[in-house]
């Protein structure tokens, strides 16, 4: 790889991240404000690095990747959220990226951002009218581009051992599950939840077979920790088969991982696979627990997830999916609710994935099912699981067969 | 791709932190590192405090999270390098990179103590033997609002034929700060086996792109709702509150959960989310309603938790929430319900919650709710007035305005002499539903109050009840009032009150005041007088005709008033 190309690849994420920051700041500060000048100057350096040694350089945002010329890069961790914001901003205007020519001056950057902000984010107008407006305002070194597909892109891979990376992602998710199972949620843990979900989704999308191998039942891992992590992987796989986009897949994984907050550790006396005999106190109780199912305590989940007073849309989603996890499409499962709307779209996938995982791992009885048998059992529970979610899981069977041949 | 829903009108969106604040914090961190290493003299706590204070202040506002990423020895915030050029910072950053720091995120509301702890962790002196992993260290500290993202360290994850799987898995455990006791005895053995299996697993192609769910399908509809944030609406959160309370199996859990849900209501008020606060509060009230509460629900627990809403914290939260979400329409329903559902012992406190509300729809909503609660409590309204603090009085008086009780008149008249203008105004407002000569006298006196709102309220009373005795006083005031004393609105109210209180008899006098510049001191009197005469029926119109004929200098004002300034438009 040439030196200019390496410099361009290094500058692209910084430039995009800075551009997003500048767009946000430009909504607050007037032109010429010191806060904007610093931001514009910083972008100028990165634009220079992008075009050094090249006549022009197109930079596109494609999902969670950055396409610099024809090379597809991964977003750096710190810049991921801002680049996503920028992608949403671009998408709302029918854009996919920018094309940079050598010789961009600071005032051009300011005008470029102002022109972008003049167009409302209602799905249009695409690059044509914006580029014409830029030409009129004498900004000829920066152009916007239409969204691009990446079929011909050359992937830039890391030097790390993919197998070890997979184990690291898995261990990190287990660590999160352990924390959620023992402590209330806190804002920093929500960020970790987000990052873990992202890593699991990436793992599946890049190497589905490796991800499914990681999710194989492990006898020595604590069940209340491995169940949410494995469910997250199967849910991502099912969601992908159903056509969910990356953002939805990550949220799906978050909903599955959040289940750890409601999981109750299995006590030693209950680990007897034949099940323990009922105690007199259990039989005599006039108010049997209507909340608990298979170690999942729905109320405990809500209690833990409420602890940091977050009622943002994502936080609500986590609570709702945890609470209705066992309800089933027919609303016959616990907890008994009086009136409840239809299940959340994520719940429909997560609960099918969780049951699939439970059957593979043996669940309460310890009798492990083969994947095809597990699917058949899911199909038998007509009305409880969404048939398309089960069909999505069924599409994993060939891959699971290959995985089991190796492991 | 769908766009994110735009915030409601009037809502303030979080702003990014300025880069200079981050640069300043990094500089302080660098000085702290020098002091801790003994290279510079000074008190480490001083620099740690400076680091923590600057960031804590910046993050206490309505800001978005700030993420700093560390790559190739450079610390980057929002795309810009913030590490600076000094060697100490560079060395600290290189050490952090070796320890596996990839990104550092400060979340809004981060506490000073956490920042202090972080500053010492980042800037501590390191020896060559001291090899620790920052991810594991930070994980053990359980930061509330600081997130540290570890990178897959080269020593751990690079292809390393020399290291055995057992060693690699052991390093992963220490890098992430986890133990077998936490995850399950023997799991490391399984992971070693898995590592070997994964390395031998035939490469699979990346997951093929699958087309999006067909438009109109359950999935497409559901995903669209999610993109627009409509998948868990406020009503569903309310339902979740009620059903989760119902699903509890023991009183202790129910008590804690009820307390948590009530805390959410308070948080919603503070965050300026009145509709969500209302949705939650409404469901919690159903939980305590004798007729409608769900089967097996223990209402006492929820009732007790709900009392936490009637405290001074709610007053503070309301003040904050109103600045974030100023649309009064959204708040009215919630405030009415909050007040109307108050227990008999909490009535005065409910009134105190509204102490900072200006007179208008919000205070009216709270007052109306309080009036309903007073009726339910079967408590004499007068008692509440006697017990209420000065802060609570405006809302109490607002509520008492709803009672047609003659015994309230004298106490209300006494409050017209109160030291606080908001109380005087509220007392006059509460007297709107009563009509006695004494009130007329007091209202006439209140016309000279120092507070404009009190004067306007007094004028309103005199106008509505046509208090004839007040007409001479009003006329005198209209003649003598100066520009520095009243504004145009009050002047117009004075002129209208003159016509009303005199029952039309003062029209000639008003005509004379308007026509003669020597008869008034305020230059706005002619405009106000013309407005009052225009609304005074045929006699008023006749007076305006005469003024137009007799006083040329008034004709522009008259044309502006009668809309004849643009004849072509009317034609």
């Amino acid at each position: 790889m040439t030196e200019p190309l390496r410099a361009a690849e290094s500058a692209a994420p910084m430039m995009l991240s800075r551009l997003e920051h500048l767009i946000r700041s430009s909504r607050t500060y007037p032109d010429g404000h010191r806060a904007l000048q610093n931001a514009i100057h910083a972008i100028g350096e990165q634009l220079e690095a992008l075009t050094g040694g090249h006549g022009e350089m197109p930079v596109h945002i494609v999902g969670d990747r950055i396409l610099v010329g024809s090379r597809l890069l991964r977003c750096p961790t710190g810049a991921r959220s801002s680049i996503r914001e920028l992608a949403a901003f671009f998408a709302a205007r029918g854009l996919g990226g920018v094309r940079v020519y050598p010789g961009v001056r600071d005032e051009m950057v300011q005008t470029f951002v102002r022109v972008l902000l003049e167009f409302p984010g209602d799905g249009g107008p695409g690059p044509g009218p914006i580029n014409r407006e830029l030409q009129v305002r004498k900004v000829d070194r920066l152009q916007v581009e239409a969204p691009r597909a990446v079929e011909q892109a050359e992937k830039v891979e890391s030097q790390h051992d993919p197998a070890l990376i997979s184990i690291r992602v898995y261990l990190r998710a287990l660590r999160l599950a352990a924390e959620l199972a023992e402590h209330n949620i806190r804002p920093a843990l929500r960020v970790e939840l987000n990052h873990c979900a992202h890593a699991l989704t990436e793992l599946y999308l890049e190497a589905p077979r490796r991800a499914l191998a990681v999710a194989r039942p492990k006898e020595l891992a604590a069940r209340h920790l491995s169940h949410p992590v494995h469910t997250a992987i199967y849910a991502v796989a099912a969601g992908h088969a159903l056509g969910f986009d990356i953002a939805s897949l990550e949220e799906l994984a978050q909903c599955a991982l959040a289940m750890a907050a409601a999981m109750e550790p299995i006590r030693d006396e209950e680990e007897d696979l034949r099940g323990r005999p009922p105690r007199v106190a259990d039989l005599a109780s006039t108010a049997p627990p209507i909340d608990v199912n298979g170690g999942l305590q729905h109320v405990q989940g809500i209690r833990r997830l409420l602890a940091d007073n977050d009622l943002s849309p994502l936080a609500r989603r986590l609570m709702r999916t945890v609470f209705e996890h066992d309800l089933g499409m027919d609303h016959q499962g616990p907890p008994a609710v009086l009136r409840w709307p239809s299940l959340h779209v994520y719940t429909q996938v997560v609960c099918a994935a969780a049951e699939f995982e439970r059957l593979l791992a043996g669940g309460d009885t310890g009798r492990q099912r083969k994947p095809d048998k597990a699917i058949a059992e899911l199909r038998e529970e007509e009305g409880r699981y969404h048939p398309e979610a089960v069909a999505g899981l069924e599409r994993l069977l060939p891959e699971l067969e290959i995985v089991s041949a190796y492991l | 791709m769908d766009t994110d829903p735009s915030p409601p009108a009037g809502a303030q969106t979080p702003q990014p932190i300025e880069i200079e604040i981050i640069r300043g914090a990094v500089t302080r961190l660098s000085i702290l590192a020098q002091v801790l290493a003994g290279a510079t003299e000074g008190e480490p706590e001083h620099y740690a405090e400076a680091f923590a204070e600057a960031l804590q202040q910046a993050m206490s506002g309505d800001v978005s999270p700030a993420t700093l990423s560390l790559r190739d020895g450079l610390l980057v915030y929002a795309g810009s390098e913030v590490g600076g050029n000094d060697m100490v910072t560079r060395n600290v950053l290189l050490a952090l990179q070796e320890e596996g720091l990839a990104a550092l995120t400060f979340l809004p509301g981060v506490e000073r103590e956490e920042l202090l702890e972080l500053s010492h962790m980042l800037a501590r002196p390191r020896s060559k033997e001291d090899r620790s992993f920052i991810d594991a260290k930070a994980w053990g500290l359980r930061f509330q609002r600081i997130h540290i993202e570890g990178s897959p360290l080269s020593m751990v994850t690079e292809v390393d034929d020399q290291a055995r799987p057992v060693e690699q898995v052991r390093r992963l455990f220490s890098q992430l700060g986890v133990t077998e006791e936490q995850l399950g005895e023997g799991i490391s053995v399984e992971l070693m086996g898995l590592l070997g299996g994964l390395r031998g697993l035939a490469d699979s192609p990346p997951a093929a792109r699958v087309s999006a769910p067909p438009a109109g399908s359950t999935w497409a509809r559901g995903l669209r709702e999610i993109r627009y944030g409509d998948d868990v609406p406020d009503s569903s959160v309310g339902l979740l509150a009620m059903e989760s309370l119902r699903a509890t199996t023991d009183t202790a859990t129910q008590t804690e959960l009820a307390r948590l849900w009530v805390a959410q209501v308070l948080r919603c008020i503070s965050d300026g989310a009145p509709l969500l606060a209302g949705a939650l509060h409404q469901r919690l009230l159903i939980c305590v309603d004798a007729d409608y509460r769900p089967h097996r629900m223990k209402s006492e627990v929820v009732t007790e938790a709900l009392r936490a809403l009637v405290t001074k914290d709610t007053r503070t939260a309301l003040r904050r929430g109103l600045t974030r979400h100023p649309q009064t329409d959204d708040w009215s329903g919630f405030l009415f319900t909050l007040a109307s559902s108050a227990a008999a012992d909490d009535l005065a406190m409910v009134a105190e919650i509204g102490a900072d509300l200006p007179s208008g729809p919000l205070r009216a909503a709270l007052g109306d709710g309080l009036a309903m609660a007073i009726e339910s409590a079967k408590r004499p309204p007068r008692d509440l007035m006697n017990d209420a603090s000065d802060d609570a009085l405006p809302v109490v008086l607002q509520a008492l305005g709803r009672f047609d009780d003659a015994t309230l008149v004298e106490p209300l008249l006494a409050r017209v002499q109160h030291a606080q203008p908001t109380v005087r105004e509220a007392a006059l407002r509460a007297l709107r539903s009563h009509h006695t000569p004494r009130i007329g006298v007091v209202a006439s006196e209140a016309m000279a109050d120092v507070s404009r709102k009190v004067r306007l309220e007094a004028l309103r009373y005199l106008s509505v009840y046509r208090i004839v005795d007040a007409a001479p006083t009003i006329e005198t005031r209209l003649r003598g009032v100066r520009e520095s004393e009243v504004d145009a609105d009050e002047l117009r109210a004075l002129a209208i009150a003159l016509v009303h209180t005199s029952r039309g008899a003062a029209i000639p006098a008003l005509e004379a005041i308007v026509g003669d510049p020597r008869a008034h001191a305020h230059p706005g009197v002619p405009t106000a007088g013309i407005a009052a005469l225009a609304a005074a029926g045929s006699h008023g119109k006749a007076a305006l005709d005469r003024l137009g004929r007799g006083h040329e200098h008034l004709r522009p004002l008259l044309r502006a008033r009668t809309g004849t300034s643009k004849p072509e438009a009317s034609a």
Side-chain angles (χ1 to χ4, degrees), chain A residues 9 32 39-40 43 48 61 66 74 84 109 131 158 161 229 266 275 282 291 304 316-317 348 358:
Chain A
E9 285 175 8
I40 291 166
I43 288 187
E48 209 171 297
I61 306 175
I66 305 168
R74 192 191 285 263
R84 275 189 186 176
V109 177
N131 282 335
S158 70
D161 175 2
V229 179
I266 299 165
D282 292 343
D291 167 39
R304 289 251 166 92
R316 298 178 186 196
R317 217 164 278 151
Q348 297 176 28
R358 199 182 69 81

Side-chain angles (χ1 to χ4, degrees), chain A residues 208-237:
Chain A
R209 216 172 277 169
R210 233 177 2 244
L212 294 174
V214 163
R216 274 176 61 84
K218 292 170 191 57
E219 292 183 354
L220 297 177
R223 185 81 192 104
H224 69 288
L225 306 182
S226 62
H227 178 60
V229 179
H230 296 180
T231 300
I233 293 173
Y234 289 125
V236 168

Side-chain angles (χ1 to χ4, degrees), chain B residues 149-190:
Chain B
E149 176 76 13
S151 63
L153 297 176
S154 59
M155 66 169 283
V156 174
T157 53
E158 240 172 38
V159 181
D160 184 356
D161 295 335
Q162 302 302 316
R164 291 176 303 147
V166 60
E167 177 63 15
Q168 288 174 324
V169 170
R170 196 182 63 75
R171 285 178 188 172
L172 273 180
F173 268 69
S174 57
Q175 184 189 338
L176 292 169
V178 289
T179 58
E180 282 207 344
E181 288 80 56
Q182 288 172 313
L183 307 182
E185 292 292 340
I187 186 174
S188 56
V189 179
E190 275 198 342

Side-chain angles (χ1 to χ4, degrees), chain A residues 311, chain B residues 260-270 273 276-278 280-281 284 306 309 334 338:
Chain A
L311 283 182
Chain B
L260 276 169
W261 279 118
V262 170
Q264 304 309 313
V265 179
L266 202 60
R267 178 65 188 251
C268 292
I269 299 172
S270 167
L276 179 54
L280 278 171
H281 187 232
L284 292 172
L306 276 169
L309 275 184
F334 168 68
L338 178 69

Side-chain angles (χ1 to χ4, degrees), chain B residues 511 514-517 546-556 558:
Chain B
E511 187 184 337
V514 171
D516 184 0
R546 286 194 295 277
L547 283 170
R549 282 197 298 276
H551 302 279
E552 196 174 343
H553 70 280
L554 290 177
R555 282 179 196 160
L558 287 163

Side-chain angles (χ1 to χ4, degrees), chain A residues 26-66:
Chain A
S26 296
R27 287 176 162 145
T28 309
Y29 303 110
D31 284 5
H33 191 278
R34 199 163 57 90
L36 298 187
Q37 281 175 345
N38 288 342
I40 291 166
H41 185 66
I43 288 187
E45 288 172 3
Q46 286 139 22
L47 291 173
E48 209 171 297
L50 260 177
T51 52
H54 307 280
E56 59 186 89
M57 181 58 77
V59 180
H60 288 82
I61 306 175
V62 185
D64 255 14
R65 297 279 191 280
I66 305 168

Side-chain angles (χ1 to χ4, degrees), chain A residues 246-274:
Chain A
I246 290 185
S248 302
L249 292 178
E250 285 182 13
E251 287 181 357
L252 205 52
Q254 286 197 46
C255 291
L257 288 171
M259 211 180 7
M263 293 294 291
E264 195 186 37
I266 299 165
R267 286 183 290 275
D268 290 345
E269 58 184 322
E270 287 173 352
E271 275 178 357
D272 182 357
L273 300 178
R274 293 162 299 178

